[in-house]
Amino acid sequence: MVVQQYRDGGGARAARALAVAGVIAVTAGCVGGAGGGGGSDGSGQRAVAAERPLDVLGRAAGVLAEAGGAEARTSMETAAGGTRVTIRGEGTYDFRTQMGRLKVVLPTDAAGADDRRPITELLAPGALYMKNRGAGVPDDKWVRIDTTALEDGNLVTGGVTDPMAAAELLRGAADVTYEGKSELAGVTVHHYRGVADLNRAARAASPQSRGALSAAAKGFSKDAVPFDAYLDEEGRLRKVRHRFSFASGSREGREGQEAAEVTVVSTLLLYGFGAPVTVKLPDEDDIYTGEIRQG
């Protein structure tokens, strides 16, 4: 899937969400938040429900960094022109190093074939590496993308929202309501609903995430990102769903017509905290620098 956004003068101009044989289109050779002390429920765990929602959400990224590694499942659904495409991923992520490894599976109709291998994605601060990219990239080569140069900071481009970026977005939360307790995979979670501001999140983010979020704050046509977040009793983020919306299509030759809205819903599930995470980034010789076919 490819999602690109543009700002054109005072108005927003967003490109289409396209289902193609790869996840991202790149050109040839392209390679703090709110703190707050937590209460205790007497068992050594933070009494999450008793705290201010903004404090809980502002601390979520830091709590994940303390937890270290985790297993992750992702889904990204794009709706445009009555068509829905869902991309799914699964793997592990280390919140201390902000590095992870995911297998991303495109739906059959998006890939154009039912035997396409999953795309391997390596996530690192400021970079995204992809293997089995297709589009003319040799099978044994990786594509490297500078996420700080992407107009969405890789919040949607790679078909996966980087798990730490998803948590850091909560630092920009506002208008938050506490929706109560529920159960998620046998774990008691607290549900918060609100809207994150990309600019506020970028300013409060960790140094490793700030560049990508700052790019997103400049590139998205809408700074407001509605979300639903579910945290366990220890303040660890277990599930978060972000809804990114922007206008699609060019106005050239279509004056008087309103651009259609594209909605991208990105969902992250975290479990298996403490899982070992091993990520070895490709050597320079393994990175493809030739032309990438646009589909």
Side-chain angles (χ1 to χ4, degrees):
M1 181 187 75
V2 179
V3 179
Q4 298 173 310
Q5 307 86 14
Y6 303 90
R7 270 205 176 111
D8 185 6
R13 182 167 65 97
R16 299 160 294 168
L18 300 176
V20 295
V23 177
I24 179 174
V26 294
T27 58
C30 177
V31 242
S40 173
D41 63 1
S43 63
Q45 295 181 334
R46 296 184 180 95
V48 172
E51 296 186 73
R52 292 177 63 246
L54 290 179
D55 291 340
V56 175
L57 297 175
R59 195 176 57 240
V63 172
L64 289 175
E66 293 174 6
E71 296 179 67
R73 290 181 183 172
T74 67
S75 71
M76 185 168 288
E77 181 181 271
T78 302
T83 300
R84 291 181 181 274
V85 175
T86 301
I87 298 172
R88 303 188 186 279
E90 186 171 359
T92 56
Y93 191 90
D94 190 327
F95 288 92
R96 291 166 298 193
T97 61
Q98 297 191 19
M99 298 178 69
R101 183 184 184 97
L102 298 171
K103 293 285 189 181
V104 177
V105 180
L106 298 174
T108 299
D109 57 346
D114 57 9
D115 60 348
R116 179 172 174 81
R117 290 172 297 171
I119 295 173
T120 299
E121 294 195 3
L122 303 181
L123 307 173
L128 166 66
Y129 299 82
M130 295 186 297
K131 196 173 186 180
N132 297 333
R133 163 68 178 83
V137 179
D139 291 345
D140 62 342
K141 293 293 186 179
W142 294 83
V143 174
R144 183 188 185 278
I145 309 300
D146 179 358
T147 55
T148 64
L150 292 174
E151 291 177 318
D152 73 314
N154 196 35
L155 292 179
V156 299
T157 293
V160 171
T161 300
D162 183 293
M164 183 53 106
E168 297 264 31
L169 266 175
L170 299 178
R171 297 186 189 272
D175 301 324
V176 179
T177 59
Y178 176 60
E179 300 293 325
K181 289 197 298 185
S182 60
E183 220 176 69
L184 180 65
V187 176
T188 298
V189 292
H190 299 270
H191 179 193
Y192 299 88
R193 177 171 292 160
V195 177
D197 181 270
L198 284 167
N199 279 292
R200 187 184 299 119
R203 291 193 298 268
S206 64
Q208 297 96 320
S209 299
R210 192 168 300 142
L213 288 178
S214 295
K218 295 175 183 177
F220 266 99
S221 60
K222 295 183 180 180
D223 294 331
V225 181
F227 68 84
D228 285 271
Y230 303 79
L231 290 83
D232 64 19
E233 297 285 0
E234 298 178 55
R236 296 177 301 192
L237 186 65
R238 291 280 182 162
K239 177 181 178 180
V240 62
R241 179 182 291 113
H242 292 102
R243 288 171 292 280
F244 304 99
S245 298
F246 45 90
S248 71
S250 171
R251 291 178 57 86
E252 296 178 8
R254 297 169 60 185
E255 292 298 333
Q257 296 183 17
E258 291 187 5
E261 184 174 85
V262 175
T263 299
V264 179
V265 179
S266 178
T267 303
L268 169 68
L269 292 171
L270 296 171
Y271 56 100
F273 290 99
V277 180
T278 302
V279 179
K280 182 181 182 301
L281 299 182
D283 295 330
E284 287 297 322
D285 290 343
D286 294 326
I287 297 175
Y288 183 68
T289 58
E291 182 178 355
I292 296 176
R293 186 173 62 245
Q294 305 298 306

